[in-house]
Amino acid sequence: MPRKRIVILGGGISGIGASVLAKKQGFDVFVSDFGEINDANKIILNNNTIKFEEKQHSSELILNADEIIKSPGIPDTVHIIISAKEKNIPVISEIEFAARYTNAKLICITGSNGKTTTTELIYHIFKNANMNVALAGNVGKSFAMQVAEEENFDYYIIELSSFQLDGMHNFKADIAILLNITPDHLDRYKYDFQNYTDSKFRIAQNMTSDDAFIYCEDDEIILKEIKKRNIKAQMFPFSVKKKIKPGAYKTTENIFIDINTRNFKMENGLLSLEGDHNMYNSMAAGITTLLSGISNEDLKNSLSDFAGVEHRLEKYIKVRGIQFVNDSKATNVNSVWYALQTIVAPIVLIMGGVDKGNDYGILKDLVRRKVKAIVAMGIDNKPILEAFEDVLPVYDTDSINLAVKTAYQLADEDDTVLLSPACASFDLFKNYEARGKQFKNAIRDL
């Protein structure tokens, strides 16, 4: 009987991990990347005797697959994916594939904003409590690669984007967290917000009454969608607006978590993360922690000493009394809204990049009240110029160095220069991390 043929599309972190795991499971494996595969990943493929191609997708080598594992960066609209679906070849994500080969508890986090912070906070709490835990998905190492390496973790903390969720069908989370849903990546969802919303709710698919679904009670979209769906998991909401039991909520002075069998209380002032958006992240992490049996003392210690995430409201350095803040991970409008809400000082805002169909209207009131000037940074800044030029001065730049110099000249002592782009980075940078690092380099060059 011939071996099942697995074709992996995309030779990045996700695809390489999936290919190594598939090879280890005895499948006939082939990797195809329409771009270039970097040298480090080629070494891994060659060491594992995995056949591959780059700079092309050869139909004759792909459309004979029994199953295709697709990189989350590849849209469903590309020709090879359409052809595969016409031939009824299943197209799945690396996460779906890897989950078949582990018995670990899977704690999964999604949302339009805050998912990286929440994922890394949960991981931080688990590590501090000496749990046998790994970080995977959109952060950390490839989930599939870690499963392939057989480290036998008890828990995986997995950050999931909507693109990863789209390729997940039989996958089931043990604990699923849905932080919020606001318009994002609509260019990948036919500019239909319902399509994007449906994608996010895939995190709750296949759950049973033994599982836990943790969600934001203050998000109207989530509440409306829950009523339409038959979610079988135990429900644990969190809110900054009202008292909730079971679940989590805050008062003026404290955060409270109640999961029926256990209670937790902590002073708001002791939390290391500031702002209501981070309060949501801390509450979601806290519920997860109590459900997983971690002690109140370990939870309190970790919530108070978590250092935060690079490129997410990262206070960098001061130059001539001007505070520079790196929020490069803010790739949608709502992330920028949270950033503007959090910062107290007058702001010079650097934004721009690849516009994903953004509605900048929700920012106008906050911009009017808190921002002195906007420095647009990108190849095409027309959407930002048109959105804000009637509100405040907007400066057009086409590089990170010029944007930083312009913002520096516009700012006064005790002001904040905030990089919070609201856009994808692909016009000028490889990714948001590269954008954030170049931002910091440009500040040092001042």
Side-chain angles (χ1 to χ4, degrees):
M1 183 176 169
R3 290 184 299 162
K4 182 176 176 181
R5 181 168 171 82
I6 301 280
V7 171
I8 289 108
L9 298 182
I13 293 171
S14 161
I16 296 301
S19 70
V20 171
L21 177 59
K23 180 76 175 184
K24 190 160 192 177
Q25 294 300 322
F27 298 119
D28 174 20
V29 185
F30 180 68
V31 175
S32 175
D33 195 311
F34 203 68
E36 289 187 34
I37 300 174
N38 69 41
D39 290 342
N41 286 346
K42 284 180 188 174
I43 290 169
I44 295 171
L45 292 170
N46 288 325
N47 286 347
N48 287 275
T49 60
I50 295 169
K51 294 175 183 175
F52 65 91
E53 66 175 359
E54 58 183 337
K55 302 179 185 175
Q56 62 184 343
H57 285 321
S58 302
S59 297
E60 68 276 12
L61 296 172
I62 295 170
L63 298 179
N64 61 355
D66 295 296
E67 193 166 48
I68 290 173
I69 301 170
K70 177 177 77 71
S71 161
I74 301 173
D76 288 335
T77 51
V78 302
H79 178 72
I80 197 71
I81 299 297
I82 293 170
S83 299
K85 289 183 175 179
E86 285 173 351
K87 292 176 73 73
N88 294 317
I89 302 170
V91 179
I92 65 168
S93 74
E94 170 227 356
I95 308 293
E96 172 92 351
F97 181 69
R100 297 171 183 170
Y101 304 103
T102 178
N103 293 317
K105 293 279 187 186
L106 305 178
I107 297 172
C108 301
I109 301 97
T110 197
S112 303
N113 298 292
K115 55 185 177 291
T116 301
T117 301
T118 304
T119 302
E120 295 209 6
L121 176 56
I122 294 170
Y123 178 70
H124 173 73
I125 296 166
F126 275 58
K127 283 293 282 183
N128 281 3
N130 295 314
M131 305 290 267
N132 181 23
V133 63
L135 192 63
N138 253 9
V139 291
K141 291 165 66 179
S142 155
F143 179 36
M145 186 64 86
Q146 292 182 88
V147 172
E149 289 169 350
E150 289 187 339
E151 294 188 50
N152 292 319
F153 293 107
D154 295 325
Y155 296 90
Y156 282 97
I157 316 299
I158 307 174
E159 178 190 332
L160 294 174
S161 70
S162 56
F163 303 157
Q164 287 166 316
L165 287 162
D166 289 336
M168 293 161 61
H169 308 283
N170 298 316
F171 179 95
K172 180 186 78 68
D174 295 286
I175 297 177
I177 299 170
L178 180 54
L179 293 164
N180 45 59
I181 302 178
T182 59
D184 194 12
H185 302 296
L186 295 187
D187 52 331
R188 281 276 291 260
Y189 292 96
K190 300 179 181 176
Y191 294 94
D192 186 334
F193 185 44
Q194 187 61 51
N195 290 342
Y196 174 68
T197 301
D198 292 342
S199 176
K200 285 297 188 188
F201 262 90
R202 292 174 77 89
I203 199 165
Q205 68 187 1
N206 306 318
M207 297 183 88
T208 71
S209 58
D210 293 328
D211 305 317
F213 179 58
I214 300 167
Y215 65 93
C216 182
E217 178 77 13
D218 300 338
D219 190 302
E220 293 178 8
I221 302 295
I222 291 177
L223 293 186
K224 185 179 81 172
E225 292 291 326
I226 284 174
K227 290 174 184 172
K228 292 157 51 175
R229 299 163 193 271
N230 179 26
I231 298 173
K232 295 175 181 174
Q234 301 169 60
M235 310 284 264
F236 295 95
F238 54 87
S239 171
V240 301
K241 297 179 178 178
K242 58 186 175 184
K243 185 175 180 178
I244 289 180
K245 182 181 176 178
Y249 64 95
K250 77 154 199 171
T251 61
T252 307
E253 295 171 351
N254 297 298
I255 175 176
F256 293 91
I257 302 172
D258 186 329
I259 60 163
N260 292 328
T261 55
R262 290 181 58 194
N263 299 297
F264 175 82
K265 174 183 172 184
M266 183 171 176
E267 292 175 35
N268 297 333
L270 297 178
L271 295 167
S272 63
L273 296 175
E274 300 174 355
D276 276 352
H277 60 295
N278 277 322
M279 182 67 74
Y280 288 135
N281 301 337
S282 297
M283 288 193 287
I287 296 170
T288 303
T289 301
L290 295 192
L291 288 170
S292 303
I294 291 171
S295 74
N296 284 18
E297 184 181 2
D298 282 335
L299 174 56
K300 188 170 286 190
N301 290 339
S302 295
L303 287 176
S304 63
D305 68 10
F306 180 61
V309 176
E310 187 181 14
H311 310 301
R312 191 72 188 95
L313 280 172
E314 176 194 3
K315 283 187 179 178
Y316 187 48
I317 56 175
K318 281 189 175 182
V319 181
R320 193 173 51 83
I322 299 165
Q323 176 70 61
F324 284 82
V325 175
N326 170 25
D327 196 35
S328 181
K329 201 172 190 309
T331 58
N332 59 54
V333 170
N334 254 71
S335 291
V336 180
W337 189 90
Y338 284 127
L340 294 177
Q341 188 190 47
T342 302
I343 293 169
V344 176
I347 298 165
V348 177
L349 174 62
I350 300 174
M351 62 192 306
V354 179
D355 189 292
K356 300 179 285 186
N358 289 342
D359 174 11
Y360 295 107
I362 65 168
L363 294 177
K364 282 196 171 181
D365 182 52
L366 265 179
V367 165
R368 229 178 242 112
R369 289 190 284 115
K370 305 191 79 169
V371 178
K372 297 170 66 170
I374 288 176
V375 179
M377 173 195 63
I379 289 172
D380 178 14
N381 294 319
K382 190 177 176 185
I384 291 170
L385 296 171
E386 289 179 347
F388 295 105
E389 60 190 0
D390 63 333
V391 179
L392 79 175
V394 183
Y395 298 82
D396 194 358
T397 68
D398 61 1
S399 74
I400 190 72
N401 287 318
L402 183 55
V404 167
K405 285 177 184 173
T406 304
Y408 177 60
Q409 289 162 1
L410 292 167
D412 296 312
E413 189 175 350
D414 296 326
D415 288 354
T416 292
V417 171
L418 169 67
L419 170 67
S420 196
C423 300
S425 56
F426 310 127
D427 57 341
L428 296 175
F429 310 95
K430 182 181 177 184
N431 49 40
Y432 77 82
E433 291 104 328
R435 176 168 60 191
K437 284 182 167 63
Q438 289 186 39
F439 173 66
K440 293 194 280 190
N441 289 339
I443 296 162
R444 284 199 294 270
D445 288 345
L446 290 174

